[in-house]
């Protein structure tokens, strides 16, 4: 089998291991006895998959439920659950309409009732009842997403402009108990930041929020500035939280599969969070150093890089990482690098990420395309498409960050 086929096996195995089904079922076995009714609200890119697992586990014990996920992520109807699709990475009117359904579901509950709240990344855009006009919030989200701000910084702002984020959804559920199961897609599992923490006390402060606006020179209206000075709930007494899945698991599975395929796996980090281009350059330096070692090696990195948009092209952080790497590994015959998002969508594209090898740079040059120009225009999708460099998985049903692997053959 060739090195690219090995790469594809590692991609499939690591994503499959990060599916939330078993984790959700296991967590629900810890659900205390309930004297009232059980409701379900699920948000995020993995919401459908998590809801399906919950329904399989609890069946008719769920009185009613709302599942909100990204477009094309509802795989089928789930009996007794209303599934909605909405805009991501920037929210839209469907995000707001679906969120209103969830709000209605949890209003007027009793202290004996339970809300099973299934949270996954992507929830910030999909689950929203804005405190500012939708168009204003969409504009701020676009500015934040292209600024190079980290997800923690982005969500610190989002929380203050929302009626459901930053612990406020849990407040709406009072006096019912919220049983929150969180699939982590942020490095270090900061529970208040994943999907902007609708059921977790906010650790960030108004000073943090204002600092972020200044740091990235964001243009915001006066109403927004005023909201940033309002504090979010710092304590919640009705929430029990279980965190499942993470990028560490994604890396561990990549490592197991690589070993099975005869590579010596080296997990370098599960918290890669620099600029995508820088990560690609770094990985290519490792490739140049070790490509002549005469051993099959697999360097594994998990995390979530960032992209500071300078151009108008199409791409995503994983595709940029892979393409940046292609520049530095050009000519190395025994090397392949991929970077994929476990959710199956990288940026606003239909690709999960990118895959490159020592021939990629030459293949692009033969089409008069230089990698530096493509990166300057953030157009990695269109370049990789021309050289069989896209990894397409479709929506995977999970969301636990990204994994990048450098494979060195003999
Ligand atoms: O906030 C989100 O929606 C994220 O994707 C990070 O959890």
């Amino acid at each position: 089998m060739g090195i690219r086929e090995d790469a594809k096996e590692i991609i499939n195995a690591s994503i499959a291991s990060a599916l939330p089904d078993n984790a959700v079922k296991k967590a629900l076995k810890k659900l205390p006895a309930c004297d009232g009714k059980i409701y379900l609200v699920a948000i995020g890119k993995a919401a459908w998959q998590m809801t399906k697992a919950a329904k399989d586990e609890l069946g008719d014990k769920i009185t009613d439920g709302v599942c909100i996920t990204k477009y094309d992520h509802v795989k089928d109807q789930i009996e007794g659950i209303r599934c909605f699709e909405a805009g991501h990475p920037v929210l839209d009117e469907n995000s707001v309409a679906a969120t209103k359904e969830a709000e209605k579901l949890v209003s007027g509950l009793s202290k004996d009732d339970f809300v099973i709240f299934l949270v996954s990344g992507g929830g910030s855009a999909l689950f929203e009842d804005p405190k500012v006009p939708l168009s204003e919030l969409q504009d701020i989200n676009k500015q934040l997403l292209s600024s190079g701000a980290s997800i923690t910084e982005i969500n610190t702002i989002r929380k203050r402009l929302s009626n459901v984020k930053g612990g406020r959804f849990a407040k709406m559920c009072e006096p019912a108990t919220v049983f929150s199961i969180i699939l982590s897609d942020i490095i270090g599992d900061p529970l208040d930041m994943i999907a902007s923490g609708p059921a977790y006390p906010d650790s960030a402060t108004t000073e943090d929020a204002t600092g972020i606006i200044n740091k990235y020179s964001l243009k915001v209206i006066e109403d927004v500035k005023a909201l940033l000075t309002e504090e979010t709930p710092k304590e919640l007494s009705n929430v029990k939280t279980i965190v499942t899945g993470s990028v560490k698991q994604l890396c561990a599975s990549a490592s197991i599969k690589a070993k099975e395929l005869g590579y010596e796996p080296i997990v370098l980090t599960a918290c890669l969070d620099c600029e995508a281009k820088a990560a690609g350059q770094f990985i290519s330096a490792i490739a140049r150093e070790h490509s002549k070692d005469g051993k099959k090696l697999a360097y594994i990195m998990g995390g979530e890089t960032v992209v500071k948009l300078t151009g108008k092209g199409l791409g995503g952080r994983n595709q940029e990482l892979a393409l940046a790497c292609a520049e530095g590994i050009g000519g190395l015959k025994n090397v392949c690098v991929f970077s994929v998002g476990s959710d199956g969508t990288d940026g606003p594209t239909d690709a999960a990420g990118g895959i490159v090898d020592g021939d990629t740079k030459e293949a692009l040059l033969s089409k008069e395309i230089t990698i530096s120009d493509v990166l300057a225009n953030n157009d990695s999708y269109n370049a990789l498409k021309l050289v069989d460099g896209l990894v397409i998985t479709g929506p995977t049903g999970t969301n636990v960050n990204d994994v990048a692997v450098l494979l060195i053959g003999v």
Side-chain angles (χ1 to χ4, degrees), residues 88 120-125 151 155 158 185-186 193-196 399:
H88 180 279
S120 56
S124 293
I151 188 67
N155 287 356
R158 283 167 159 170
D185 75 327
I186 303 189
M193 291 295 172
I194 300 163
S196 302
N399 187 7

Side-chain angles (χ1 to χ4, degrees), residues 2 37 41 135 137 185 200 206 220 273 276-277 311 326 330 334 378 398:
K37 291 184 171 162
V41 175
S135 55
L137 193 54
D185 75 327
Y200 209 83
T206 53
V220 295
D273 63 355
K277 279 189 281 194
N334 55 338
N378 303 113
T398 192

Side-chain angles (χ1 to χ4, degrees), residues 62-381:
I62 300 174
T63 300
D64 195 1
V66 166
C67 165
I68 311 171
T69 192
K70 183 173 168 160
Y71 292 118
D72 296 327
H73 280 50
V74 171
K75 294 191 192 156
D76 207 347
Q77 293 308 312
I78 301 176
E79 205 190 320
I81 308 287
R82 288 168 286 143
C83 294
F84 299 92
E85 291 184 332
H88 180 279
V90 176
L91 75 162
D92 64 9
E93 37 296 295
N94 287 335
S95 315
V96 180
T99 303
K100 296 267 183 220
E101 293 301 318
E103 289 177 345
K104 272 191 241 157
L105 185 77
V106 302
S107 70
L109 301 187
S110 87
K111 69 171 184 20
D112 293 329
D113 294 331
F114 269 7
V115 178
I116 295 170
F117 188 41
L118 307 175
V119 181
S120 56
S124 293
L126 301 163
F127 190 55
E128 186 57 289
D129 172 0
K131 281 180 185 279
V132 293
L134 178 60
S135 55
E136 181 62 27
L137 193 54
Q138 287 172 320
D139 176 62
I140 295 169
N141 270 281
K142 283 181 198 158
Q143 289 188 56
L144 281 164
L145 290 167
S146 60
S147 67
S150 70
I151 188 67
T152 302
E153 291 174 319
I154 294 174
N155 287 356
T156 296
I157 303 295
R158 283 167 159 170
K159 284 185 205 185
R160 283 176 172 68
L161 309 179
S162 170
N163 286 309
V164 287
K165 296 178 163 61
R168 292 184 174 117
F169 180 66
K171 284 267 171 214
M172 278 180 192
C173 297
E174 282 177 346
T177 300
V178 179
F179 195 78
S180 175
I181 303 176
I182 302 183
L183 186 66
S184 174
D185 75 327
I186 303 189
I187 295 165
D189 308 338
L191 301 182
D192 65 320
M193 291 295 172
I194 300 163
S196 302
Y200 209 83
D202 184 17
S203 65
T205 62
T206 53
E207 288 76 31
D208 294 332
T210 315
I212 292 161
I213 295 288
N214 295 336
K215 178 173 170 189
Y216 295 101
S217 310
L218 302 177
K219 293 183 184 52
V220 295
I221 57 174
E222 287 307 314
D223 286 2
V224 168
K225 284 190 190 149
L227 283 169
L228 294 179
T229 64
E230 279 178 25
E231 230 6 308
T232 41
K234 299 296 179 224
E235 271 179 33
L236 295 168
S237 55
N238 63 328
V239 183
K240 297 187 195 327
T241 306
I242 292 187
V243 63
T244 70
S246 76
V247 67
K248 282 192 184 149
Q249 193 184 331
L250 197 65
C251 292
S253 312
S255 170
I256 290 168
K257 191 63 186 180
K259 195 163 184 189
E260 260 174 52
L261 294 169
Y263 294 84
E264 181 185 320
I266 303 124
V267 179
L268 288 177
T269 179
C271 49
L272 187 70
D273 63 355
C274 59
E275 270 210 54
K277 279 189 281 194
Q281 285 159 1
F282 174 66
I283 295 168
S284 70
I286 300 174
R288 290 195 300 276
E289 168 113 17
H290 293 287
S291 65
K292 303 276 179 304
D293 285 3
K295 291 197 262 193
K296 284 176 82 176
L297 298 167
Y299 289 90
I300 298 162
M301 289 138 280
E304 188 166 312
T305 58
V306 292
V307 171
K308 194 163 182 180
L309 287 182
T310 48
K312 296 203 178 330
L314 186 62
R317 56 180 184 265
N318 289 288
Q319 294 161 74
E320 282 223 3
L321 184 156
L323 194 62
C325 198
E327 178 73 54
I329 61 171
L332 301 179
K333 288 294 166 210
N334 55 338
V335 166
C336 172
V337 175
F338 70 79
S339 185
V340 293
S342 56
D343 57 0
T345 45
D346 187 36
T349 75
D350 62 0
I355 181 164
V356 296
D357 58 29
D359 295 331
T360 305
K361 181 180 174 181
E362 193 51 42
L364 286 169
L365 277 177
S366 72
K367 297 180 193 303
E368 296 183 358
I369 296 171
T370 57
I371 291 175
S372 55
D373 286 350
V374 176
L375 290 174
N377 193 28
N378 303 113
D379 202 25
S380 48
Y381 179 88

